[in-house]
Amino acid sequence: MIIDDEWQTREGLVQWVPWDRLGIDRVQCMENALQALDAMKEDMPDMIISDVRMPHMTGVELLIRLRNEGNMVPFLFISGYADKEYLMAAIRYQASDYVEKPIDMQELTQALEKTVSQLKAARNTDAEVTAIRLTSADTRYDEVDSFLQATGHSFSQAENYWVCMVRSRQQAEDAVRTWGWPHMAERLDEENLLFVTCQMSGDAPPDFASLYEALLIQDGMAILGISCPCTRPQELSKRRAQATLAIQRGWFFDQGGCFCYAPPDGYARSVLDKLMERIRPGLSAQTSQTVTAHLLTLQEQWRSIPGLYPLEAVSLLSSLREQILQWLPAHQEQIKGDEVMAEVWKEVAEAGRFREALLAVNRWVDLLFQRHLNRHRYGVAMTKALEYVDNHYAENLSVELLAKECFISSSHLSHLFRSSLNTSVKQYINDLRIERAKALLLDSKVRLYEVGSRVGIADASYFSKLFRKATGATPSEYRAKYLK
């Protein structure tokens, strides 16, 4: 199925892709994602080629919807360069591949050949039942059931089934093997182990808590993802998609965890909408510290939403950026053309943890103020002062030093800060240091005793006093709260 709102692209793909050579005998074309969803109700394609940006629903949003429904159909994107941040997340979370526009037909054909080979390999699996085959959408369950019964495998008499994924740097097979519940396990790659387990009639359900405890003994960063239960083996392919999503919840935390699948509910969108209402005034009347302080609250709020997964989170953060650009029409083109800001935003989609994504968003906001907003809002001297503080806050700053850098008197500089920001120079510097300290405290790699000195406050006792006055918590209490 080809999904693209440009008829030239659809027709070009139909005409120029060597479908016969690929072994594909039918090609459907859809103008948008909503039309494609309607068609899929009647006839599910073997693979999808989709544009990213389309009216009504983007290709990434369609991918999220299908994966949340347990549909693992191969999904290949065609896109423009500007869609990179969406695609990096999409590739990491079950998109098959992507090809940039203008489309290189040789590159597209190679990507399709790879996908077709994977589909054929899945369908030509040996008769032996494996965890991967048992959870594949291509499996014929009459054959599987016959095999299970012939071998006397207990799975054929199970009352409930679960599909689970383990992500661990260490070998997890030993913990699963000695767990004590019926299971069929198979390693997908070096990091991920897939296994199916079941509950026999009259028995208690599997004790996943004890399994997770055993995994933690081997690897303190192990992650266990658990699907919802099902009563028929025919539903296991959808449960595998659920387990794959559940394990991705570990992205929001800086340590391992045990996560059960929960359906998306849109709550993260409403949280972001409320946050945007608080951020908007800061773009026109406040400083970058105020905006970034609001953004850091997402760390705790989004982590507590069971049905939020990384791909949707990255998509929502991108929508936040788009909304900020809409609020700043006078600066929109300059910001879009700012290569430094574009490079920082790439880190959002490539982030290995949610905390890293948030810190990248905050760096983008800092650059937004430094490189664009401050230059138009304040005079030359005030803009230079703000940029100097933002770049040298970790050094020994004083009103006199800052005034000298700006070629004005100390009294004039103090007047500028009071009239422009309604605060003193010293208070502005301390507020900025506290915000930067908050970001460092979210990084578990930074030692607690290093934080104060890294933001320009070498006296640990004085730093702790300032931090508590500003946040209501000591540095250690703040870290414990957000990294629990």
Side-chain angles (χ1 to χ4, degrees), residues 19 22 24 45-49 67 72-77 91 94-99 107-123 138:
W19 303 108
L22 291 168
I24 297 173
D46 292 304
M47 70 176 72
I48 294 172
I49 303 174
R67 294 299 185 253
M72 302 302 292
V73 60
F75 211 106
L76 190 150
F77 281 113
I91 294 300
Q94 296 108 30
S96 300
D97 208 338
Y98 74 90
V99 175
E107 182 183 359
L108 176 60
T109 301
Q110 289 174 347
L112 288 170
E113 286 175 341
K114 177 182 175 183
T115 303
V116 169
S117 296
Q118 292 171 344
L119 283 171
K120 288 180 177 178
R123 292 176 178 179
D138 297 312

Side-chain angles (χ1 to χ4, degrees), residues 176-218:
V176 175
R177 185 173 60 251
T178 59
W179 177 38
W181 262 261
H183 66 272
M184 187 180 293
E186 189 169 357
R187 184 158 285 280
L188 297 176
D189 50 48
E190 292 183 359
E191 282 194 339
N192 297 292
L193 178 73
L194 168 74
F195 71 93
V196 183
T197 188
C198 64
Q199 174 190 12
M200 306 307 294
S201 179
D203 289 349
D207 183 1
F208 293 112
S210 65
L211 171 60
Y212 180 60
E213 289 175 3
L215 289 167
L216 284 182
I217 293 174
Q218 294 187 352

Side-chain angles (χ1 to χ4, degrees), residues 393-394 436 440 443 445-447 450-457:
Y393 64 87
R436 295 298 183 268
L440 288 173
D443 187 347
K445 298 176 183 176
V446 178
R447 298 177 185 274
E450 296 176 347
V451 175
S453 60
R454 287 181 62 167
V455 298
I457 308 175

Side-chain angles (χ1 to χ4, degrees), residues 242-275:
Q242 290 181 358
T244 302
L245 284 172
I247 204 171
Q248 292 170 18
R249 285 285 301 158
W251 185 76
F252 292 91
F253 299 82
D254 286 304
Q255 54 193 12
C258 179
F259 306 99
C260 296
Y261 171 79
D265 57 11
Y267 182 60
R269 171 88 261 180
S270 65
V271 170
L272 185 62
D273 289 341
K274 291 178 182 177
L275 182 70

